[in-house]
Amino acid sequence: KVYSKESVALVKQSWELLKVDAQANAVAFFKEVFEIAPAAKGFFSFMQDTSIPFEDNPKVKFHALQVFKLTGDAAAQLGEKGAYELLQSRLHSLAAKHLSKGVQDAHFEVVKEALLRTIAAGLPDLWSPALKQAWADAYDALATTLKNEMHAQA
Ligand code: HEM
């Protein structure tokens, strides 16, 4: 798939803004995931600790930031030389990790919807159909790469 210069620029520009408040956006992203699919909580080891609200759990904060940053950083590099390097360098172990947790193809749609909602809420002034499409395409490319590697390892 070829990404237009415009959509790559949209993802990059919005990602720079989202990263300013990466921690808060990352937690918001996980809140969206669990709102869309409450059962997804069962996948995450750190969600078993219910003694503190999940947004105050340092493990949740760390993990949310990792997932959010990897997705955004890789998405922002799409269309550039070496676009997948960031993801590729961790693809094997990431696929193994997700397989071992029982993540299935359908779950990637939940994460996609949560990501788009987080961007819409985080950047209301910038949100547009073009921005939404640019992020959807970037996420789909990442998800397909990760899913293919999971299928190969299954
Ligand atoms: C862990 C990225 C989609 C569930 C992780 C980690 C990263 C990551 C970077 C940390 C891995 C580590 O511990 O070394 C991504 C990306 C995704 C994606 C880039 C999409 C393109 C999903 C989906 C699910 C999911 C769809 C399903 C709910 C998990 C779980 C863990 C994890 C359960 C392990 C958490 C734990 O340690 O308990 N993911 N992920 N991820 N991810 Fe994803």
Side-chain angles (χ1 to χ4, degrees):
K1 171 148 184 156
V2 180
Y3 297 91
S4 72
K5 276 204 172 79
E6 289 76 17
S7 63
V8 172
L10 278 175
V11 170
K12 271 192 178 219
Q13 179 205 20
S14 52
W15 181 236
E16 287 307 317
L17 295 171
L18 289 163
K19 268 202 295 196
V20 173
D21 210 357
Q23 186 70 76
N25 281 315
V27 171
F29 167 59
F30 265 75
K31 277 192 170 159
E32 294 286 2
V33 170
F34 298 139
E35 200 174 296
I36 300 168
K41 286 180 185 170
F43 282 126
F44 296 90
S45 48
F46 49 72
M47 292 300 291
Q48 312 316 314
D49 180 0
T50 49
S51 59
I52 42 173
F54 89 84
E55 58 267 42
D56 296 332
N57 182 333
K59 277 193 196 161
V60 175
K61 288 188 177 183
F62 175 75
H63 178 265
L65 193 62
Q66 254 213 95
V67 173
F68 192 65
K69 280 194 84 171
L70 181 72
T71 309
D73 282 344
Q77 289 178 49
L78 284 177
E80 287 183 3
K81 201 167 158 241
Y84 287 104
E85 270 167 18
L86 188 70
L87 185 67
Q88 289 292 347
S89 65
R90 295 176 59 183
L91 194 59
H92 191 84
S93 63
L94 268 184
K97 177 102 188 180
H98 288 85
L99 270 177
S100 75
K101 296 283 177 176
V103 174
Q104 290 163 12
D105 281 8
H107 299 132
F108 283 86
E109 287 305 306
V110 173
V111 168
K112 177 182 180 179
E113 182 60 29
L115 182 70
L116 294 176
R117 285 192 194 178
T118 305
I119 298 163
L123 301 173
D125 297 341
L126 215 64
W127 190 242
S128 70
L131 184 65
K132 181 179 182 180
Q133 193 60 53
W135 272 99
D137 289 347
Y139 176 85
D140 285 344
L142 289 177
T144 301
T145 306
L146 186 50
K147 281 188 283 187
N148 286 343
E149 179 64 20
M150 287 167 68
H151 297 158
Q153 286 181 27

